[in-house]
Amino acid sequence: MRRWRSRGGLLALALGVSFLLAVLGTSVSGWPTGVAVLLIGPVLAGVWSSARRTAVVAGWTLLLATGTGVLRRLVGTPGFCLEFVVLLAGGVLAVHNAARHAEREAALARVTEVACASQSALLQPLTVEVGGIEVCTRHHSPVREASVCGDLYDVVHTPYGPRLFVGDVRGHGLEALRTTAAAMRAFRDLAYLTPGLADLATALDARLAADLGPEDFVTAVLAEFAPGEVRLVNCGHPPPLRVGKQVRLLEPPQPALPLGMRTTPLPHRVYLQPGERLLFYTDGLSEARDGDGVDFPLLPRVAEALAEPSNSDALDALYAMVIEHTGRPLTDDVVLVLCRATGVTEAPLTACPREGVSPEAGP
C-alpha cells in the first residue's frame, strides 16, 4: 500500500473505479444501478488520499455522472437529479473526511517529532567519569518511519559507589516513552537511598508495577562499581560483556523476571582486572539480523571493535559493524554503554553481601 501511495496509484485506482462503473452504467444492458454508485470513487480517495486528490476524484465522478445521464437520456428526471445530489453531497463529505484525516496525521507527526526529541534529550550520548569509572554511551534510534522505542540508560554517583541502569521498556510509542521517563526518574530517586543492589531492583519493580499495564515490563541490568569489581543485578536483560584478554558474557547466577513482574533477582560479583571494560547493551544489538536472518556475531565483533583504545571510537566501530551486518538501517533502538576504571574507584559506604558470586567472577 505504501508503494501505491508514493506513486499516486491510489488516485489512479479511485479514478479507474469511477470510470469502470460509468462504462458499465452506459454500456451494459439492464445495468440496475444509477449514477450514485460512482460515489465509491470519492469514498476510496477520501480514505487513502489527500483532500486535493479526493476533490479531483469527486469532480471526475460528477463529470462521469453527467455523461452517463446524457447517454442514457436521464438528465432532468427526478431519479437522476436525486442521485446526482447524493453524489455531490457524498463527494463533499469525502473531501472533508480526507482533510480531517490529513489534519490528524499532521498532528500525530508533530507529537511523534516531540516524542523523538524528548527521547533524544533523555538519552543524549555522553562520556563522563563518575567515581573513577569512565562511562561512554551511545543511543541509536531506528529508521525515521519507526515509532519511539523504550531503551534507556542512566548513571549516578551514590554513597554506595557509581551505579548504572540500562533497560528496555516493552513496546513502542508514547506509552513506552512515558514508562522510560518514569523508570529513569525512579532510578534517580531510589539509587541514592537503597544500600543493596537487589533491594534497589525490588524497589524499582514496586515503583514501576503501579504504572505498568498487565502485559508491560522493563528488562534491566543494574551495576554498582567498587574497587576492582562490579556488582550486577540482571532482571531479564541481555547479559553484559567483560572485555579484556577474552570476551565473556556475564550471565546471572539464576534468571530473574523483568521489572514490573515482581522480580526477585540474585546479585552477583564480577572481578575486574586492570584494563578490562564492561559493555552493556540492549537487544537491538544482540538480535540484529542480516537479510538471511543470521544474528549479529556478538562476541567476535565486540572483541574486534573494542580493540580501539578509545571508548568512544570503540562504540562507533561496533555500531558500524552492526549496520554492515544487517545491510540496512536498524528497525529497533540500540543502546551501548561502555565502562572502564580510570583509576582508584572510590570505596562505597557499604558493601553488598558476599553471597551470589558469579561463576565468571574470577580473574
Side-chain angles (χ1 to χ4, degrees):
M1 189 64 68
R2 192 171 294 170
R3 181 184 65 181
W4 270 87
R5 183 180 302 176
S6 62
R7 297 180 180 179
L10 292 176
L11 177 61
L13 175 63
L15 293 172
V17 168
S18 298
F19 181 75
L20 176 62
L21 292 173
V23 170
L24 291 174
T26 56
S27 61
V28 177
S29 177
W31 183 255
T33 56
V35 295
V37 73
L38 300 178
L39 185 59
I40 293 177
V43 169
L44 290 176
V47 172
W48 293 329
S49 298
S50 65
R52 178 178 297 178
R53 291 184 175 183
T54 303
V56 170
V57 175
W60 170 246
T61 57
L62 291 176
L63 290 175
L64 290 175
T66 303
T68 301
V70 170
L71 292 175
R72 297 182 62 180
R73 298 177 181 178
L74 297 174
V75 176
T77 63
F80 176 83
C81 292
L82 178 61
E83 291 195 36
F84 192 87
V85 170
V86 170
L87 183 61
L88 177 62
V92 172
L93 290 176
V95 173
H96 177 71
N97 178 69
R100 292 285 301 274
H101 182 67
E103 290 176 0
R104 288 193 295 268
E105 284 193 340
L108 180 59
R110 289 193 295 269
V111 171
T112 302
E113 184 178 356
V114 171
C116 291
S118 301
Q119 185 181 43
S120 298
L122 287 172
L123 303 178
Q124 287 185 348
L126 55 86
T127 300
V128 296
E129 184 176 335
V130 181
I133 301 297
E134 180 186 347
V135 181
C136 184
T137 70
R138 290 291 186 274
H139 171 235
H140 297 280
S141 295
V143 295
R144 187 176 183 87
E145 289 81 6
S147 60
V148 179
C149 300
D151 289 5
L152 62 106
Y153 59 83
D154 202 358
V155 59
V156 294
H157 193 189
T158 74
Y160 317 106
R163 282 180 166 176
L164 174 70
F165 178 29
V166 178
D168 188 355
V169 176
R170 179 185 181 274
H172 300 77
L174 299 181
E175 281 300 309
L177 179 61
R178 184 184 66 83
T179 303
T180 297
M184 295 176 66
R185 184 170 58 249
F187 172 70
R188 285 187 169 263
D189 290 344
L190 298 169
Y192 296 93
L193 305 175
T194 312
L197 202 61
D199 294 333
L200 174 58
T202 303
L204 284 169
D205 176 81
R207 175 78 69 89
L208 293 174
D211 295 328
L212 293 175
E215 298 182 357
D216 296 332
F217 56 82
V218 181
T219 67
V221 59
L222 299 168
E224 179 182 278
F225 293 89
E229 66 181 31
V230 61
R231 299 147 189 169
L232 299 171
V233 166
N234 195 319
C235 301
H237 197 77
L241 294 167
R242 183 178 62 185
V243 184
K245 294 181 180 179
Q246 295 180 328
V247 179
R248 302 187 67 178
L249 283 171
L250 302 178
E251 299 276 5
Q254 68 180 34
L257 294 173
L259 300 178
M261 302 181 70
R262 298 183 180 179
T263 185
T264 54
L266 181 65
H268 63 293
R269 258 186 180 83
V270 174
Y271 297 105
L272 296 177
Q273 297 297 313
E276 289 185 329
R277 291 185 279 185
L278 290 178
L279 176 67
F280 300 83
Y281 55 93
T282 53
D283 59 10
L285 176 70
S286 55
E287 296 180 2
R289 297 179 176 88
D290 64 11
D292 297 324
V294 178
D295 287 335
F296 179 66
L298 184 63
L299 269 61
R301 288 296 179 265
V302 167
E304 183 180 349
L306 267 63
E308 294 281 351
S310 163
N311 282 351
S312 180
D313 292 342
L315 292 185
D316 291 340
L318 180 58
Y319 184 70
M321 292 176 184
V322 178
I323 296 300
E324 181 182 3
H325 175 77
T326 60
R328 61 186 183 279
L330 299 182
T331 57
D332 194 8
D333 270 23
V334 174
V335 156
L336 304 172
V337 181
L338 190 57
C339 302
R340 173 174 54 191
T342 59
V344 178
T345 306
E346 300 176 11
L349 294 183
T350 59
C352 75
R354 298 297 301 181
E355 64 268 21
V357 177
S358 168
E360 298 97 0

